[in-house]
Amino acid sequence: ILHHSGTTLEMNSLTSLASTATAIQINTDKKVKVSNVLKLISGTSITLKPSAYLEVGDNLILNSGSITLESDSNDFSSLIVEGNQWGSIKYSRFVREYGSPNFRGNLIGSPLVGEELADIISQTNLANDGGTPEQFAIGPYDNSNNTWEVYTSAEITALADDEMVTGTGYQMATDDADNSYGKTIDFTGTVNTNTTVNVSVINSDGNGSGGRRWNLVANPYPSFLNIGDNHHATNNFLDTNSSIL
């Protein structure tokens, strides 16, 4: 376990630490910054507990090691990679339970690149109605007619190789059988290292089919975004998109 009494631990490399420990844990509310390349030794694992933070200043090379980001109903871990990444990581993302008669759940997108819809649908924590065809609690929003779609068991074969679209939001809910208020869904893939992700925003209001101007977009990163000036003076979502909002 990685212990550090302060809030932020700055290191040139975690390689020497990983060579003597097969399991590294970054605890809740702790930040670790690696200034250059982070390369894991085969078999080494790094786990980020909810609200933990890891920033890699250059490339991230998993080399048959693993990184898992955890979250719960209140806190989410964060990973930032300034360079490129080799190897897949896992983000166990907390998703609220399905509520009846009113849908609760969450409106989210994949925090990683390469996650396939069929993989999400196959996870037992995802809510479903048990019908024929079976309907799963995941689907996109269609603003052309203001409807929410859900995927069914009849579509699984067609969705076999379809990846969740980067920056696209989906409605999603987990099974509430044990009254746990939600469970985690595992997303697997790579960190989006592009500093800009373009998502088409379409105004369907007035199209004659009940369309709306609202679009469902999602955070495409396994880290928080700067939303307004109080997070960053210029590099924030509202200022960057001020010309179109």
Side-chain angles (χ1 to χ4, degrees), residues 151-227:
Y151 295 117
T152 70
S153 55
E155 298 174 287
I156 290 179
T157 301
L159 295 172
D161 297 320
D162 287 3
E163 295 182 0
M164 298 183 72
V165 180
T166 300
T168 295
Y170 298 80
Q171 62 170 336
M172 195 178 303
T174 51
D175 182 11
D176 66 346
D178 57 2
N179 297 314
S180 59
Y181 301 105
K183 298 178 180 178
T184 57
I185 296 293
D186 291 338
F187 293 85
T188 303
T190 59
V191 175
N192 191 330
T193 56
N194 294 317
T195 56
T196 300
V197 174
N198 295 315
V199 179
S200 297
V201 175
I202 301 170
N203 183 1
S204 297
D205 185 40
N207 65 357
S209 300
R212 303 293 298 276
R213 66 177 66 244
W214 294 103
N215 289 250
L216 185 59
V217 299
N219 180 359
Y221 304 105
S223 58
F224 294 98
L225 292 176
N226 298 321
I227 295 299

Side-chain angles (χ1 to χ4, degrees), residues 51-70:
S51 78
Y53 173 96
L54 173 61
E55 181 177 340
V56 181
D58 204 319
N59 296 332
L60 172 61
I61 306 170
L62 271 66
N63 193 33
S64 297
S66 65
I67 294 181
T68 300
L69 288 84
E70 297 183 350

Side-chain angles (χ1 to χ4, degrees), residues 141-147 204 207-212 214:
Y141 170 66
D142 185 351
N143 85 334
S144 68
N145 56 11
N146 192 29
T147 58
S204 297
N207 65 357
S209 300
R212 303 293 298 276
W214 294 103

Side-chain angles (χ1 to χ4, degrees), residues 4 6 8 12 34 36 54 105 108 116-117 136 144 152 174 185 189 192 201 207 209 228 245:
H4 179 59
T8 303
N12 289 330
V34 181
N36 50 31
L54 173 61
I108 64 173
E116 295 183 351
L117 286 165
F136 299 94
S144 68
T152 70
T174 51
I185 296 293
N192 191 330
V201 175
N207 65 357
S209 300
L245 290 175

